[in-house]
Amino acid sequence: MSAPGTRRAVVTGIGVVAPNGTTAETFWKATQEGVTVLDRITREGCGQLPLKVAGQVPSFDASAVIEERILVQTDRFTHFALAAADEALQDARLGRADTEGAPFSAGVVTAAGSGGGEFGQRELQKLWGKGSRYVGPWQSIAWFYAASTGQISIRRGFKGPCSVVAADEAGGLDALAHAARAVARGTDVLVAGSTEAPLAPYSMVCQLGYGELSPVTDPQRAYRPFTGDASGFVPAEGGAMLVVEDERAARARGVPVRAVIAGHAATFTGAGRWELSRQGLAEAIRGALAQAGCAPEEVDVVFADALGTPQADRAEALAIADALGAHGRQVPVTAPKTGIGRAYCAAPVLDAAAAVLALEHGLIPPTPNVADICHDLDLVTGRARPAPVRTALVLSRGLMGSNSALVLRHGV
């Protein structure tokens, strides 16, 4: 084990369950092709709600990848997390046997916005419809926002640092940074990321208070950030998990380093105060670049937060220009989430997964459904853009006021 302070955190595995693909491979294929899967919500019990469009994960059979004893005690958001963690660990060539010798040097960190709303709703319906004796014992834990961290660590036998980040949407990036700091302090391996399942009726009702939600019912026009048609964002379910580990340990195992987590910073500017997010996001960008030892002109692509409201979009475009200077108006910017929706805490982790794949393939994915840009940005639209991508900047803001920036660099 390398001494703390000399350790560099790298990404060695990616697992994805998203509306446009339930593996990292299918996710990247659809993302680079600019496929849009936004559609009318078909989830049972949601037909009468005013929220009409979302990104839904299709054809996900949790029973095919998760044991029955775990299925019955977990919500859909944890099913996504377990499946994505399995894929990420397999991608990193890590199994239970690889960590049994040092279980305290393997951990889990996730971020979650609302936890297990579908499970909780089902049990509350039993409570009011049949009585307390019909409520299952797992109601006490399945809804909890930390459930995915707990279930992954128990299932895999990881006994090292385990935590959950609560920092609204930006918490997805903060979770990856938290994992990188744990590696720097001496932990060898962490599974890190976020998954969300906010499309059950109860969860959707809780979201209706968000003024930034798009009221548009046409899936092709509902989520169009940085345009004159911007009317808000479209929610989504799914997410991604990454394996973050010490670079020396990874190379000693002969595992390819997919990307380096080079820098991160976070700020807070207050709920709904989008004009202030300009300053807060710019400060987060500067902090992340400083930690990475990266000059603004070295950034090859920006994965934008892309909230989709005029005020928030303007603030983000100006923050990029403020932090990157003249380069901010020249650097390619993309927002692949416009094709799948904004999955709350999981949205920036899906962006981080796409950024790692963009670094590997030298290809910047497009921003689906978007044209006629009304901000001073080089937004990639229409089709993917080949480019020598060595450094990616991933941005995220939360509805409650958190701002976060993450710098990823090519692994070679």
Side-chain angles (χ1 to χ4, degrees):
M1 179 184 294
S2 308
T6 65
R7 298 159 62 88
R8 192 162 74 153
V10 300
V11 176
T12 57
I14 301 174
V16 174
V17 177
N20 64 347
T22 53
T23 66
E25 181 180 0
T26 56
F27 164 74
W28 175 243
K29 184 176 187 298
T31 298
Q32 69 176 348
E33 292 175 357
V35 172
T36 178
V37 295
L38 298 182
D39 207 345
R40 301 282 292 212
I41 297 171
T42 58
R43 199 62 50 78
E44 183 180 357
C46 297
Q48 303 305 312
L49 297 175
L51 180 58
K52 299 298 184 184
V53 177
Q56 301 169 98
V57 174
S59 307
F60 176 74
D61 181 7
S63 64
V65 291
I66 302 168
E67 306 90 312
E68 177 63 24
R69 65 179 179 83
I70 296 177
L71 278 179
V72 299
Q73 58 184 276
T74 47
D75 179 81
R76 184 174 175 86
F77 92 108
T78 297
H79 300 165
F80 291 153
L82 290 166
D86 283 351
E87 184 190 7
L89 287 163
Q90 182 177 11
D91 184 37
R93 304 177 196 171
L94 280 168
R96 191 181 185 100
D98 298 295
T99 56
E100 281 180 346
F104 293 97
S105 198
V108 184
V109 54
T110 65
S114 58
E118 185 175 276
F119 193 106
Q121 176 180 327
R122 185 173 64 244
E123 297 304 305
L124 287 173
Q125 286 175 323
K126 291 178 182 177
L127 173 65
W128 295 112
K130 296 182 178 181
S132 60
R133 296 181 65 181
Y134 291 87
V135 177
W138 306 117
Q139 164 65 1
S140 61
I141 62 169
W143 67 271
F144 192 41
Y145 58 88
S148 295
T149 289
Q151 293 289 354
I152 293 170
S153 62
I154 292 169
R155 188 167 179 245
R156 288 286 179 170
F158 294 171
K159 299 180 180 181
C162 290
S163 57
V164 61
V165 176
D168 64 302
E169 287 91 324
L173 292 188
D174 296 347
L176 300 181
H178 194 77
R181 287 192 292 269
V183 166
R185 290 193 295 264
T187 304
D188 286 337
V189 177
L190 286 103
V191 177
S194 176
T195 56
E196 301 270 26
L199 301 183
Y202 171 74
S203 298
M204 288 176 60
V205 168
C206 291
Q207 296 168 64
L208 294 179
Y210 297 149
E212 294 84 359
L213 272 180
S214 174
V216 177
T217 58
D218 178 356
Q220 304 302 314
R221 304 185 66 83
Y223 187 18
R224 305 187 69 195
F226 304 116
T227 73
D229 292 335
S231 58
F233 73 92
V234 167
E237 61 180 356
M241 302 297 293
L242 308 182
V243 171
V244 179
E245 62 178 304
D246 173 47
E247 181 180 24
R248 293 183 189 178
R251 295 195 186 281
R253 293 195 299 111
V255 177
V257 170
R258 306 194 67 167
V260 177
I261 300 178
H264 168 267
T267 63
F268 180 78
T269 47
R273 306 173 71 183
W274 297 115
E275 71 283 358
L276 296 183
S277 74
R278 170 184 178 177
Q279 180 182 6
L281 187 60
E283 187 64 22
I285 294 171
R286 295 187 191 101
L289 293 176
Q291 188 179 85
C294 177
E297 58 270 19
E298 292 180 72
V299 176
D300 298 310
V301 61
V302 176
F303 282 75
D305 175 62
L307 186 67
T309 67
Q311 193 178 31
D313 291 347
R314 181 176 184 274
E316 182 170 23
L318 291 172
I320 292 170
D322 291 346
L324 300 185
H327 185 60
R329 294 178 171 84
Q330 303 166 1
V331 63
V333 177
T334 185
K337 61 170 70 74
T338 61
I340 62 174
R342 183 183 174 94
Y344 294 102
C345 286
V349 185
L350 285 165
D351 280 347
V356 173
L357 292 160
L359 291 168
E360 290 182 341
H361 291 87
L363 195 66
I364 300 172
T367 306
N369 296 326
V370 171
D372 303 321
I373 312 307
C374 66
H375 296 275
D376 193 7
L377 291 173
D378 180 16
L379 194 69
V380 180
T381 62
R383 63 182 62 185
R385 183 184 301 179
V389 184
R390 304 290 299 180
T391 301
L393 174 65
V394 184
L395 306 180
S396 182
R397 292 171 299 177
L399 297 177
M400 297 299 107
S402 297
N403 311 287
S404 189
L406 184 77
V407 176
L408 295 167
R409 307 198 88 160
H410 197 278
V412 176

